[in-house]
């Protein structure tokens, strides 16, 4: 067993028996919630690196973790309240027993991801190339591979001509 969902208004605990669980109203789901406001395929629970994650499957009434709506995927820590169409469950599990090592991985939201450009997330901040000290033999007509030796230092290596 990989944990339990404890209903927050009474009821029997729901054991989490697999590493990936489909939750919904349909009988074919791994966890069947027989409520009219639960979608046929409401959400997916996945165990990764010792932590449970929930993904909303475009359900009508949504999924929340501790009152915050899940728009893509969200880590659900032990003791968090998972709301599936206004039905609340406490998720109980032990990350260490499930293979987690070290602190929990960062939990990025869509706003975190889209708040920075790809260059910024790769460590090449906007405008860094224009502010970089160019080598004396730099030719704008040539192509260069740019690598980052140390923070704030770039190395320009001429790229071989393409065939």
């Amino acid at each position: 067993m990989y944990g339990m969902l404890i209903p927050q208004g009474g009821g029997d605990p729901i054991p989490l028996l697999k590493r990936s669980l489909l939750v919904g109203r349909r009988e074919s789901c791994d966890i069947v919630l027989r409520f009219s406001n639960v979608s046929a395929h409401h959400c997916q629970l996945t165990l990764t690196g010792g932590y449970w994650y929930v993904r909303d499957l475009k359900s009508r009434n949504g999924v929340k973790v501790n009152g915050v709506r899940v728009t893509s995927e969200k880590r659900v820590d032990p003791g968090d309240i998972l709301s599936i169409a206004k039905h609340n469950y406490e998720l109980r599990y032990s990350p260490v027993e499930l293979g987690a090592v070290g602190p929990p991985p960062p939990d990025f939201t869509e706003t975190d991801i889209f708040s920075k450009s790809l260059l910024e997330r790769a460590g090449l901040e906007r405008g860094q190339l224009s502010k970089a000290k160019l080598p004396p033999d730099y030719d704008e007509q040539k192509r260069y591979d740019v690598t980052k030796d140390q923070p704030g230092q770039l190395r320009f290596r001429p790229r071989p001509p393409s065939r």
Side-chain angles (χ1 to χ4, degrees):
M1 185 166 60
Y2 299 102
M4 300 186 82
L5 287 175
I6 310 297
Q8 295 296 287
D12 295 329
I14 301 168
L16 305 176
L17 300 174
K18 297 177 3 184
R19 297 177 86 72
S20 180
L21 297 161
L22 179 61
V23 180
R25 196 175 65 243
R26 284 237 169 102
E27 293 297 322
S28 60
C29 292
D30 299 305
I31 297 176
V32 179
L33 299 177
R34 292 180 183 90
F35 301 107
S36 61
N37 61 346
V38 173
S39 297
H41 294 149
H42 202 95
C43 63
Q44 182 82 35
L45 289 170
T46 309
L47 181 62
T48 306
Y51 291 91
W52 281 101
Y53 291 82
V54 64
R55 176 182 297 277
D56 189 355
L57 300 176
K58 299 181 182 175
S59 63
R60 179 178 287 187
N61 292 309
V63 175
K64 294 180 180 179
V65 175
N66 295 328
V68 178
R69 185 155 188 144
V70 175
T71 55
S72 58
E73 186 175 77
K74 170 95 174 95
R75 187 181 71 236
V76 186
D77 292 325
D80 282 353
I81 302 298
L82 177 65
S83 301
I84 301 170
K86 300 194 181 200
H87 302 280
N88 299 323
Y89 301 89
E90 178 187 349
L91 185 56
R92 288 189 190 164
Y93 68 101
S94 171
V96 173
E97 290 177 12
L98 299 178
V101 178
D107 193 21
F108 296 108
T109 63
E110 283 181 8
T111 54
D112 294 335
I113 292 170
F114 293 117
S115 67
K116 293 183 178 180
S117 71
L118 287 173
L119 285 174
E120 288 174 298
R121 285 192 283 149
L124 297 171
E125 289 79 24
R126 255 187 215 152
Q128 188 172 4
L129 288 176
S130 62
K131 294 177 187 174
K133 185 173 181 178
L134 299 174
D137 60 342
Y138 182 82
D139 181 357
E140 287 187 18
Q141 302 302 315
K142 291 183 182 177
R143 293 179 165 254
Y144 292 87
D145 286 323
V146 180
T147 56
K148 196 173 184 180
D149 288 345
Q150 296 172 352
Q153 289 188 330
L154 300 176
R155 181 193 294 167
F156 293 83
R157 282 183 282 136
R159 206 180 272 176
S162 56
R163 296 179 189 214

